[in-house]
Amino acid sequence: MPIILLTGYPCSGKSTRACEISAAFAASAKDRKVHVISDETHDIRSSVYRDAKQEKMARATIMSDIKRNLSRDTIVIVDGLNYIKGYRYQIFCEAKAEESTYAIVHVGTPVEVCREWNKKANAWEEDLFDQLVFRYEEPNGMNRWDSPLYTVSYSDPALNAENIIFKQLFNSIIFGKVKPPNFATILKPAVLTDYIYELDKQTQEVVKLIVERQADGGAQEIWLNDTSSVTLSVEPMHTAQLQRIRRNFVALNKVRQIDTLRIKGAFAEFLNRNFGTE
């Protein structure tokens, strides 16, 4: 069920690298199937990227294909721009939910080289090419959803079974540590009579602590226990904003019950994602 997500500028050579990776895994992991997902496999045209609604629908189509093909004996290679970090995060969460290994391959071809290749291939209209380059959110290996990150230059040799980058990718995908599910997505079969009370009480305590620390001009990182902390955003969060986030978390976890000992840790993760500091 591993997921390999390619990303890069338009006409950077992503599809070529996807084919190389697919062939290398087919040769090196013969007990696994390899499934490549791309705009081309779903007949998604470049004009889709001019309309936000159509682009969102296209991403939903790709995501459905990813979910449909996740299995223990299939390596899913997602070939595409994947230029929105929020979308990469969404796929990362899917990998975690399925307890799958996951990796990013960034095809780091310079813009001017991509532009020349685009002119030769006539793949993207020039103004749309420029828009997509401007929108592109480059992966950062410091972010969990962009890690492990393997950057491939356009001048690098083919990613075959002997290539050092492919060997590293192979090891992280086949032998790497499985991404653990988020606290907030762990289902608990037992229904505790005081669960809702604890959920409300503990999240209120966290909000109160954040408000107090902000008023005092305290540290940007607030530790809730030995393992969980909240990293505050640069701009102070109003109490109303914090309460709105808290209500969303409570509503989610009334359905997805978690261990009461993990409530504050799960809420910390949820807050960090909303603050954009995770």
Side-chain angles (χ1 to χ4, degrees):
M1 64 174 66
I3 299 176
I4 300 170
L5 187 66
L6 281 90
T7 182
Y9 291 137
C11 278
S12 59
K14 296 181 298 299
S15 294
T16 298
R17 296 302 188 179
C19 289
E20 292 173 356
I21 293 169
S22 175
F25 270 104
S28 304
K30 295 182 179 179
D31 59 330
R32 307 288 183 102
K33 300 174 185 176
V34 180
H35 182 70
V36 179
I37 302 171
S38 67
D39 287 0
E40 287 72 22
T41 59
H42 288 281
D43 195 29
I44 296 172
R45 303 179 184 278
S46 60
S47 58
V48 163
Y49 291 90
R50 290 189 179 277
D51 183 275
K53 185 176 180 180
Q54 290 186 35
E55 184 179 346
K56 185 176 180 180
M57 291 172 61
R59 289 199 299 271
T61 298
I62 298 294
M63 181 61 75
S64 295
D65 198 354
I66 292 171
K67 292 179 179 180
R68 188 165 53 249
N69 284 280
L70 282 177
S71 66
R72 295 195 177 278
D73 63 348
T74 302
I75 297 169
V76 176
I77 300 173
V78 187
D79 170 24
L81 294 170
N82 299 315
Y83 69 95
I84 301 173
K85 65 180 179 181
Y87 183 56
R88 296 198 297 267
Y89 177 75
Q90 188 179 356
I91 296 174
F92 166 79
C93 288
E94 192 64 36
K96 290 182 71 174
E98 295 296 326
E99 299 185 9
S100 166
T101 52
Y102 168 93
I104 293 276
V105 176
H106 177 214
V107 183
T109 306
V111 173
E112 291 310 314
V113 175
C114 295
R115 194 184 304 279
E116 288 302 314
W117 288 355
N118 182 54
K119 288 179 181 178
K120 291 178 182 178
N122 196 26
W124 302 85
E125 294 181 13
E126 189 173 344
D127 67 315
L128 181 56
F129 174 92
D130 290 338
Q131 288 177 33
L132 291 169
V133 167
F134 179 75
R135 294 182 214 165
Y136 188 75
E137 297 176 323
E138 188 170 324
N140 180 352
M142 297 296 289
N143 296 328
R144 288 186 293 171
W145 59 88
D146 286 334
S147 176
L149 174 64
Y150 301 96
T151 299
V152 184
S153 170
Y154 73 106
S155 58
D156 284 348
L159 294 177
N160 56 34
E162 301 304 315
N163 183 279
I164 184 63
I165 295 178
F166 175 76
K167 289 180 179 179
Q168 294 171 348
L169 175 63
F170 180 91
N171 287 333
S172 65
I173 286 295
I174 301 299
F175 304 116
K177 185 178 179 181
V178 172
K179 303 290 185 182
N182 284 333
F183 285 149
T185 61
I186 298 175
L187 300 179
K188 301 298 291 183
V191 178
L192 304 178
T193 55
D194 62 346
Y195 174 73
I196 301 300
Y197 168 78
E198 283 295 327
L199 184 63
D200 185 73
K201 173 175 171 286
Q202 293 188 37
T203 53
Q204 287 281 24
E205 289 173 353
V206 173
V207 168
K208 182 181 178 183
L209 180 60
I210 292 173
V211 171
E212 290 174 349
R213 287 293 182 87
Q214 286 187 152
D216 294 339
Q220 286 295 102
E221 188 172 25
I222 300 174
W223 285 92
L224 307 180
N225 51 42
D226 290 341
T227 59
S228 302
S229 67
V230 175
T231 303
L232 301 180
S233 55
V234 176
E235 293 296 326
M237 296 290 289
H238 296 296
T239 304
Q241 293 175 286
L242 291 167
Q243 289 291 0
R244 176 179 54 78
I245 295 171
R246 189 192 72 83
R247 286 193 296 271
N248 289 341
F249 177 81
V250 169
L252 172 65
N253 288 284
K254 281 181 179 178
V255 178
R256 302 183 178 194
Q257 294 190 15
I258 56 178
D259 192 314
T260 54
L261 296 176
R262 292 176 170 171
I263 288 175
K264 288 188 177 180
F267 190 36
E269 285 189 5
F270 194 78
L271 285 166
N272 287 332
R273 288 201 300 274
N274 278 273
F275 292 167
T277 56
E278 185 179 56

